[in-house]
Amino acid sequence: NAGVMQNPRHLVRRRGQEARLRCSPMKGHSHVYWYRQLPEEGLKFMVYLQKENIIDESGMPKERFSAEFPKEGPSILRIQQVVRGDSAAYFCASSLGRLNEQYFGPGTRLTVT
Amino acid sequence: AQKITQTQPGMFVQEKEAVTLDCTYDTSDQSYGLFWYKQPSSGEMIFLIYQGSYDEQNATEGRYSLNFQKARKSANLVISASQLGDSAMYFCAMREDSGGGADGLTFGKGTHLIIQP
């Protein structure tokens, strides 16, 4: 009965490096969402994926950010050439369907030095 | 305009009292869903309760209930008999079902609830 898994829980990167964040949805869930939470703020939607498809990436920055959810394996949020402003908590959520409740993982806290 | 407004940045409440956390929303969709999440200091997001726009009854889950007033576009969270472990950030969120907007949840800025012994 595992929930949504995210790893790593904490990630430190220097400016210019790449960050890869992983998310394994709850068993049976094929819908995955990524959110970003800046300090002292609520979560902001980034991207919504189903297996092998990006459904909605309206919240993703246009450059340096990409996401995938392959047929096998976890969903990946990739941030290239990180900058200090990318420091945030990144949450993944999964659901049975678009109109079902979203269950969140524990988050990955990215720190860019 | 803010889609989700939580007007209480912080609240202090005595243990065992009932708490009402305010949330108002703005949407032109006829079909939508409203959610409350709890974020303790450890950082995870815990789903508490859901209300669909067409649900006639207010949602309840244990000590949590959602006071849904559709005409006022408000979805306040009520916690009965508060406990020390209820101290956390609480976020109200909305999903709009028309498909015309983003598919993710829209969150408010949160209310920091502190329960005092």
Side-chain angles (χ1 to χ4, degrees):
Chain A
N1 224 6
V4 179
M5 311 282 282
Q6 286 187 252
N7 67 80
R9 296 290 305 275
H10 299 273
L11 183 61
V12 180
R13 284 286 178 266
R14 290 202 183 104
R15 278 180 297 169
Q17 289 185 319
E18 178 179 289
R20 280 186 179 236
L21 288 62
R22 293 175 199 79
C23 168
S24 297
M26 282 179 73
K27 189 175 180 181
H29 287 190
S30 60
H31 297 247
V32 165
Y33 308 78
W34 285 94
Y35 294 83
R36 177 164 64 177
Q37 183 179 32
L38 295 172
E40 308 300 322
E41 291 192 12
L43 278 67
K44 295 279 195 294
F45 166 74
M46 299 179 76
V47 62
Y48 163 42
L49 311 101
Q50 293 180 38
K51 282 285 186 183
E52 299 185 276
N53 288 305
I54 296 174
I55 307 300
D56 180 356
E57 55 183 350
S58 59
M60 285 273 271
K62 294 285 184 280
E63 296 176 353
R64 302 187 298 108
F65 285 72
S66 62
E68 62 177 14
F69 189 15
K71 189 176 178 183
E72 302 290 339
S75 175
I76 307 282
L77 179 68
R78 183 179 175 210
I79 312 173
Q80 294 179 290
Q81 299 173 342
V82 296
V83 300
R84 288 225 173 99
D86 296 333
S87 294
Y90 291 83
F91 287 92
C92 165
S94 74
S95 66
L96 271 174
R98 180 175 169 269
L99 300 185
N100 294 94
E101 297 90 85
Q102 294 179 24
Y103 291 89
F104 282 78
T108 294
R109 274 139 190 91
L110 172 66
T111 303
V112 179
T113 61
Chain B
Q2 292 281 338
K3 287 208 169 189
I4 296 285
T5 302
Q6 294 181 252
T7 57
Q8 307 148 310
M11 283 185 76
F12 288 87
V13 172
Q14 285 298 121
E15 191 180 6
K16 296 181 184 152
E17 288 184 353
V19 182
T20 297
L21 303 181
D22 295 341
C23 173
T24 56
Y25 59 91
D26 183 24
T27 181
S28 55
D29 282 14
Q30 295 300 307
S31 176
Y32 51 89
L34 297 157
F35 303 78
W36 278 92
Y37 288 86
K38 172 184 179 181
Q39 187 176 41
S41 57
S42 50
E44 69 268 34
M45 293 289 288
I46 302 167
F47 167 71
L48 295 178
I49 197 165
Y50 165 78
Q51 179 87 39
S53 58
Y54 290 117
D55 295 340
E56 293 186 356
Q57 304 268 5
N58 284 346
T60 60
E61 288 286 347
R63 292 187 300 114
Y64 303 109
S65 60
L66 200 152
N67 184 1
F68 181 45
Q69 298 191 37
K70 197 169 180 177
R72 293 186 178 182
K73 292 191 173 176
S74 80
N76 298 341
L77 177 70
V78 179
I79 307 174
S80 63
S82 58
Q83 301 170 357
L84 295 178
D86 294 332
S87 295
M89 284 292 289
Y90 288 80
F91 291 98
C92 179
M94 175 173 65
R95 182 200 67 228
E96 294 172 285
D97 297 341
S98 69
D103 280 310
L105 300 178
T106 302
F107 282 81
K109 292 186 183 298
T111 294
H112 190 188
L113 175 65
I114 297 174
I115 307 297
Q116 296 175 311

